[in-house]
């Protein structure tokens, strides 16, 4: 395997003293897990933040081998991690993507949608600007995985309706793609829901 592309960092799991297994969402290969040496060091730690866009060079000697990756930062989400709502949204979206998508299956629509959604979260003046796109991404993910759940689009001016739809989609995610990993991943969504719930209509 040899792949050079831009990717979205979706999950980082420590491996040994300084390395990590990083799950990247790429347009060409979908989710790819790769070993990144020095991932927990001073240089790469701020690069490998879930939600960041990176230029990645992924190589493996054989199909069954865990690839090695080298990364360079393209777009950082670091400045928004101090903001409770954007930080919770980044955590949920990247956790959902990493946990639910099978490895090395291309989902170009999801890759494009997630990249656009992460950018929308950064530029919108409040969560009202990205709550509906976030729900649309969740519905798209369900459909791409074969779970055609009919979810009526709420009025973008009705915050209570948006929250009710958020809860409804959450039950579908919990039941289907996250059925075996719900505890850790859904905790990120619960935190996001609590923070969205503090916004008054």
């Amino acid at each position: 395997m040899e792949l050079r592309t831009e990717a979205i960092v979706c999950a980082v799991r420590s491996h040994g003293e300084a390395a990590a297994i990083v799950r990247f969402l790429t347009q060409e290969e979908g989710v790819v897990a790769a070993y990144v040496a020095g991932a927990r060091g001073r240089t790469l730690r701020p690069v490998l933040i879930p939600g960041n866009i990176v230029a990645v060079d992924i190589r493996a000697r054989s199909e069954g081998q865990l690839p090695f990756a080298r990364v360079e930062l393209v777009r950082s989400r670091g400045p928004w991690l101090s903001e409770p709502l954007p930080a919770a949204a980044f955590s949920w979206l990247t956790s959902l993507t990493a946990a639910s998508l099978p490895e090395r299956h291309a989902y170009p629509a999801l890759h494009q949608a997630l990249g656009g959604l992460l950018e929308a979260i950064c530029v919108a003046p409040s969560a009202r600007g990205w709550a509906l796109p976030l729900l649309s991404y969740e519905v798209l993910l369900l459909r791409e995985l074969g779970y055609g759940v009919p979810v009526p689009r709420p009025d973008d001016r009705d915050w209570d309706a948006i929250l009710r739809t958020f809860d409804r989609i959450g039950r579908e995610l919990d039941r289907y793609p996250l059925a075996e990993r719900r505890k850790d991943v859904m905790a990120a969504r619960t935190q996001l829901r609590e923070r969205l719930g503090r916004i008054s209509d």
Side-chain angles (χ1 to χ4, degrees), residues 82-83 87-88 140 164:
S82 60
E83 300 292 332
L140 176 62
R164 287 194 299 270

Side-chain angles (χ1 to χ4, degrees), residues 23-39:
R23 293 171 69 82
F24 301 96
L25 180 63
T26 70
Q27 182 171 352
E28 300 88 345
E29 295 285 338
V31 172
V32 178
Y35 177 92
V36 180

Side-chain angles (χ1 to χ4, degrees), residues 2-199:
E2 185 172 334
L3 178 65
R4 293 183 179 181
T5 189
E6 286 193 1
I8 302 169
V9 178
C10 287
V12 180
R13 180 169 56 88
S14 298
H15 185 86
E17 292 185 6
I21 308 297
V22 182
R23 293 171 69 82
F24 301 96
L25 180 63
T26 70
Q27 182 171 352
E28 300 88 345
E29 295 285 338
V31 172
V32 178
Y35 177 92
V36 180
R40 298 165 61 197
R42 186 185 312 172
T43 302
L44 287 182
R45 193 182 307 136
V47 173
L48 295 170
I49 294 172
N52 278 2
I53 309 297
V54 296
V56 62
D57 185 353
I58 301 174
R59 298 173 184 267
R61 293 176 182 171
S62 65
E63 191 64 29
Q65 181 190 45
L66 179 69
F68 288 78
R70 294 183 178 180
V71 297
E72 293 181 7
L73 183 63
V74 173
R75 177 83 166 94
S76 176
R77 311 297 180 190
W80 289 271
L81 293 182
S82 60
E83 300 292 332
L85 270 167
F90 295 153
S91 176
W92 160 242
L93 290 166
T94 54
S95 297
L96 169 65
T97 303
S100 59
L101 297 186
E103 286 195 22
R104 301 194 190 183
H105 289 262
Y107 294 95
L110 284 174
H111 179 270
Q112 182 178 3
L114 181 58
L117 176 54
L118 294 173
E119 188 62 24
I121 292 169
C122 293
V123 301
S126 75
R128 293 178 182 274
W130 51 259
L132 275 180
L134 183 143
L135 298 181
S136 296
Y137 176 77
E138 293 175 337
V139 171
L140 176 62
L141 183 142
L142 284 165
R143 289 177 180 164
E144 289 283 299
L145 293 176
Y147 306 109
V149 180
V151 180
R153 181 182 175 88
D155 186 330
D156 59 6
R157 296 165 297 181
D158 187 342
W159 188 247
D160 287 339
I162 291 172
L163 293 180
R164 287 194 299 270
T165 303
F166 186 95
D167 294 338
R168 177 178 176 180
I169 297 172
R171 290 190 291 271
E172 302 299 332
L173 291 166
D174 189 49
R175 183 182 306 163
Y176 296 117
L178 299 178
E180 297 178 1
R181 307 179 185 185
R182 64 169 60 99
K183 184 176 179 181
D184 294 336
V185 180
M186 289 302 287
R189 197 175 198 274
T190 298
Q191 182 183 65
L192 175 59
R193 174 62 174 84
E194 290 173 352
R195 292 178 178 178
L196 290 172
R198 295 174 193 156
I199 297 176

